Amino acid sequence: MTHQRTYTAAHWGTYEVEYDDDGKAVKLHPFSRDPDPSPIGLHMLSDEVSRLRVLRPSVRKSWLEHGPGAVSRSISSAACRAAGSSTRSGCGRDHRLPPRGHA
């Protein structure tokens, strides 16, 4: 039986979405007219990817407290540790923005 197909796009290209009889998206196929389709996005419906998805909207506490662009000290410190240096440009400084209305 031929199942309905629609299209979806991602950073890596366009894909054809195959649905089962219940209307659930079950498989992605490379776009048929793409001469060099990327295989990267073909796994987007896999269980491995699905279980890693964010289940509800999330916002950093520092963004709520200090607005867009705010980065908490713990985030910047973790980034410095991950980079293997606390002396790199910007490491060790407080990257948080001042509260709104303060210079």
Side-chain angles (χ1 to χ4, degrees):
M1 171 187 279
T2 303
H3 296 283
Q4 170 193 359
R5 287 193 182 187
T6 59
Y7 300 100
T8 189
H11 298 291
W12 312 283
T14 302
Y15 301 92
E16 296 179 25
V17 184
E18 181 181 339
Y19 297 88
D20 65 13
D21 293 331
D22 296 325
K24 180 182 176 187
V26 292
K27 189 171 183 180
L28 294 178
H29 301 273
F31 182 55
S32 60
R33 290 185 259 166
D34 186 341
D36 188 22
S38 173
I40 294 174
L42 294 174
H43 68 285
M44 288 189 287
L45 294 176
S46 71
D47 290 337
E48 292 82 16
V49 172
S50 295
R51 68 181 175 82
L52 298 174
R53 293 192 187 282
V54 175
L55 300 178
R56 58 191 162 274
S58 300
V59 178
R60 287 190 322 270
K61 183 178 178 183
S62 62
W63 188 90
L64 290 173
E65 293 173 348
H66 304 288
V71 177
S72 72
R73 183 183 304 244
S74 62
I75 293 172
S76 62
S77 297
C80 290
R81 284 192 305 274
S85 172
S86 61
T87 59
R88 286 187 149 182
S89 176
C91 286
R93 292 192 328 228
D94 186 354
H95 292 279
R96 290 178 289 177
L97 296 177
R100 290 188 177 142
H102 294 84

